[in-house]
Amino acid sequence: MQNPSENIPLIQMQQAESGHWQVNQVGLTEPLASFAEMEAAVDYASDFAQTSGGRIVQHLD
């Protein structure tokens, strides 16, 4: 039996070395989008998660 949560896109935001904020989907190698301002990345990630049925997750180093 498959876990239903395995099909939910997980979205992360992180600041790149360039200073831009990248929005990533867990499991994909390329970012979905990149923004100069953190607020724009948050807005994009929230909209993407809402329309895709995904969840935003926090990445801790």
Side-chain angles (χ1 to χ4, degrees):
M1 176 175 232
Q2 187 176 10
N3 182 349
S5 64
E6 290 177 3
N7 296 324
I8 296 174
L10 301 178
I11 310 305
Q12 296 177 327
M13 292 170 294
Q14 65 186 52
Q15 193 169 24
E17 289 181 17
S18 67
H20 280 79
W21 288 89
Q22 294 182 337
V23 180
N24 302 295
Q25 182 173 333
V26 174
L28 299 181
T29 57
E30 294 295 319
L32 298 171
S34 180
F35 300 90
E37 300 292 327
M38 181 181 70
E39 292 81 10
V42 170
D43 289 344
Y44 179 88
S46 296
D47 289 344
F48 185 86
Q50 189 172 33
T51 59
S52 69
R55 302 285 185 261
I56 297 175
V57 296
Q58 183 176 7
H59 175 74
L60 302 174
D61 289 325

